[in-house]
Amino acid sequence: MTLGATHKQKFVVVAGTRPEAVKLAPIILALRERGCIAHVLASGQHRELFHEALAGFGLVADEDLGIMLPVQSPADVVGALVPALTRRFDILLPDAIIVQGDTATAFAGAQAGFYARIPVIHVEAGLRSGQSEPFPEEMHRKAIAQMSALHFAPTQSARSALIAEAIDPASIHVTGNTGIDALHLVEARLLLDHGLAARIAHRFSAVDLRRPLVLATIHRRENHGERLDGILAALAILARHAEIVLPVHPHPAISGPAQAVLAGRAGVHLLPPLDHPAFVWLLQRAALVLTDSGGVQEEAPALGVPALVLRDVTERREGIATGNARLVGTDPAAIVAAVLDLLADSRAIGRMGEASLPYGAGDAATRIVDILAGRAAVPRGHPALSVEV
Ligand code: UDP
């Protein structure tokens, strides 16, 4: 069956967290520019953070399934989403489902698409730590790969990881990471919109930019508990040497201890989660970042900011290979030593901060949409894994 020339390709974009909003926004914009339908189906996994991040790109979700609970596990999210998404797919009749990354929402979106025999397109495919952590994201990524018809890998090594898992090489395209596209869009806004830049600068007037700025983010599940205590103890010591800016993740396992250890401490700025332009503004001015985030590990090298990674393993190995990022774990003495060494040695900070493009040049969304829009629309009802998208 071939669809008529007037058929508009319809993509349902399933997403629910801040990084998904940031990294899918460039694709949604590019699809719509090409005249395709990009229906944004929010899961509600994270409500405010998701919608705020999307709004930064002038986008609004078409609907929100609102599955968020005050305290929720990945099992709660996946268990609620698979049937809810299936019902929506039955009505929306998409040509393909787009999911991004490794969240419970992406995993559920891929499952629902797979069961409905709708081709699943995986953006940011093939990242692997090769360990059981990050948990449960490493397993999500592997499982999504098995259920997807088309894989957009940000790097060659991501492509190799997929091929090692017997994914058909013809279904994998190396495009760079759309997070870099999003970063460039925000950089351009900050440059062109003087009002926006001035408003952001005003919000951070309490941060003393004459001191080195250490921007920190912590949110990973495996860093809850004792490991978080180690990170917070390090930040408390580092505040004597640098301005510490920590946008605090709203999860009570992070926000409770962060407030208890750091609130009111001189040199520490505990902030609510920041909108993406404000976060990028700070990143542009940071001496270094201390982070367990995946996306921030990708953004920092593109801006020439050294990243010290608060983890023992990472699936973003390219930044380590280019020397832009280093794993420092969560032991307070090791974190403090790594930060002070860097701050004391401007040549070392310069070397780590040499801007490089391990995650692409910022044209990933265009490449992806060229591939999606350049192909014939996919008839529904075919087994997802045998369909050529
Ligand atoms: N980010 C943001 N505000 C913040 C912290 C991070 O907009 O207060 C952005 C950051 O620039 C990156 C993304 O959120 O684009 C990373 O999301 P997160 O660290 O939550 O998830 P991960 O990338 O680890 O999956």
Side-chain angles (χ1 to χ4, degrees):
M1 173 184 150
T2 18
L3 296 172
T6 52
H7 175 82
K8 272 188 169 193
Q9 278 179 292
K10 184 195 261 188
F11 298 92
V12 169
V13 179
V14 178
T17 65
R18 176 173 62 196
E20 289 165 277
V22 169
K23 291 175 171 180
L24 286 167
I27 296 180
I28 296 164
L29 292 169
L31 279 172
R32 289 181 180 167
E33 257 172 44
R34 288 293 192 92
C36 300
I37 299 168
H39 181 95
V40 181
L41 178 43
S43 66
Q45 181 176 344
H46 291 168
R47 190 157 303 148
E48 288 80 14
L49 293 188
F50 175 80
H51 291 289
E52 187 182 62
L54 211 54
F57 298 89
L59 294 169
V60 180
D62 293 287
E63 56 182 311
D64 188 328
L65 296 176
I67 53 105
M68 185 163 167
L69 300 171
V71 177
Q72 68 192 359
S73 69
D76 291 323
V77 174
V78 176
L81 275 181
V82 175
L85 288 170
T86 303
R87 283 193 290 276
R88 293 304 298 142
F89 294 167
D90 283 347
I91 292 166
L92 292 166
L93 300 178
D95 294 309
I97 309 296
I98 299 180
V99 296
Q100 192 279 340
D102 56 17
T103 65
T105 293
F107 179 46
Q111 275 187 66
F114 179 76
Y115 287 138
R117 294 175 176 262
I118 303 168
V120 175
I121 294 163
H122 188 202
V123 176
E124 199 187 65
L127 276 62
R128 298 287 183 273
S129 71
Q131 315 275 324
S132 54
E133 289 180 346
F135 172 89
E137 289 85 0
E138 178 85 354
M139 181 283 287
H140 285 166
R141 280 194 198 270
K142 287 184 174 171
I144 294 170
Q146 295 302 322
M147 294 184 282
S148 296
L150 198 53
H151 313 258
F152 290 112
T155 63
Q156 282 297 341
S157 59
R159 174 184 161 83
S160 303
L162 290 166
I163 291 171
E165 290 168 16
I167 301 295
D168 177 4
S171 67
I172 309 169
H173 298 268
V174 178
T175 60
N177 197 307
T178 57
I180 306 302
D181 307 28
L183 180 66
H184 288 181
L185 288 172
V186 173
E187 282 187 294
R189 263 188 81 198
L190 288 171
L191 207 61
L192 297 174
D193 186 342
H194 299 296
L196 174 68
R199 283 194 301 280
I200 294 174
H202 182 69
R203 273 164 65 189
F204 299 131
S205 52
V207 179
D208 184 354
L209 291 173
R210 292 165 305 183
R211 300 178 81 210
L213 168 60
V214 171
L215 180 59
T217 77
I218 319 159
H219 76 88
R220 298 222 78 80
R221 207 166 270 275
E222 58 265 29
N223 277 345
H224 292 180
E226 248 177 50
R227 291 174 64 88
L228 179 62
D229 297 341
I231 298 169
L232 296 174
L235 293 179
I237 296 168
L238 288 169
R240 286 188 231 130
H241 307 272
E243 291 287 282
I244 308 294
V245 176
L246 175 65
V248 182
H249 196 274
H251 196 295
I254 302 280
S255 58
Q259 293 292 343
V261 177
L262 296 175
R265 198 173 275 270
V268 178
H269 305 268
L270 293 183
L271 306 174
L274 298 172
D275 55 278
H276 195 220
F279 187 81
V280 171
W281 189 93
L282 283 170
L283 195 54
Q284 288 172 326
R285 285 155 183 80
L288 58 93
V289 286
L290 270 175
T291 189
D292 63 6
S293 158
V296 178
Q297 284 180 66
E298 293 156 354
E299 292 168 341
L303 292 180
V305 178
L308 297 180
V309 181
L310 300 163
R311 301 209 219 162
D312 302 326
V313 292
T314 181
E315 62 294 329
R316 270 87 175 176
R317 301 187 210 182
E318 294 84 349
I320 310 278
T322 55
N324 295 104
R326 190 183 301 159
L327 292 170
V328 293
T330 58
D331 172 63
I335 297 170
V336 170
V339 172
L340 294 185
D341 279 357
L342 259 187
L343 291 180
D345 183 350
S346 58
R347 275 188 308 178
I349 220 168
R351 272 196 308 277
M352 271 193 88
E354 263 165 30
S356 76
L357 301 173
Y359 304 104
D363 56 358
T366 314
R367 287 164 178 247
I368 289 171
V369 171
D370 278 350
I371 291 164
L372 293 179
R375 293 177 178 219
V378 183
R380 277 178 51 79
H382 284 218
L385 291 177
S386 63
V387 160
E388 241 202 27
V389 188

